[in-house]
Amino acid sequence: MNVALATRKLNVDGKGRHIFLLPEHQQKIQTKVRKEQKTDQWRRRYAIRAGCEATVSETVHARGLRRCRYRGLAKTHVQHVLTAAGTNIIRL
């Protein structure tokens, strides 16, 4: 039986629950990564990414970055640069 695809349904207090079993080497990697995520160094490094993701999300949702009103790469680039500049000005 392939352990990676096996799930076992447990009945705990009348509520169903699924446990996903990974192959041993993948489980070791997952455990190691989860342990690293609890360190201060990892959290500081991730905070930088979270800030970047928030900026991208803001420009996509609030400023409509995914919709371009122009055709052509040059005009699209100008719109993206101006949108980014506007976002920076608003943040200041």
Side-chain angles (χ1 to χ4, degrees):
M1 180 165 94
N2 189 350
V3 180
L5 300 176
T7 62
R8 188 168 49 138
K9 188 166 183 163
L10 299 177
N11 194 0
V12 180
D13 297 331
K15 298 177 183 177
R17 180 174 110 172
H18 289 280
I19 295 179
F20 295 95
L21 304 173
L22 297 173
E24 186 177 355
H25 69 281
Q26 287 181 350
Q27 184 64 43
K28 286 181 180 180
I29 293 170
Q30 187 179 54
T31 302
K32 177 185 167 199
V33 169
R34 286 181 176 169
K35 187 176 179 182
E36 287 175 2
Q37 289 176 353
K38 294 179 182 178
T39 63
D40 289 334
Q41 179 185 6
W42 188 91
R43 289 182 180 180
R44 281 192 305 270
R45 203 174 70 229
Y46 187 78
I48 295 169
R49 178 182 174 158
C52 295
E53 293 289 337
T55 302
V56 171
S57 178
E58 177 187 344
T59 55
V60 166
H61 292 98
R63 315 279 183 263
L65 188 63
R66 288 207 178 117
R67 300 276 182 184
C68 186
R69 61 178 73 187
Y70 305 107
R71 290 184 186 215
L73 191 58
K75 289 181 182 179
T76 301
H77 177 69
V78 170
Q79 180 182 344
H80 288 172
V81 169
L82 293 175
T83 301
T87 301
N88 288 337
I89 291 171
I90 290 169
R91 287 182 154 208
L92 288 174

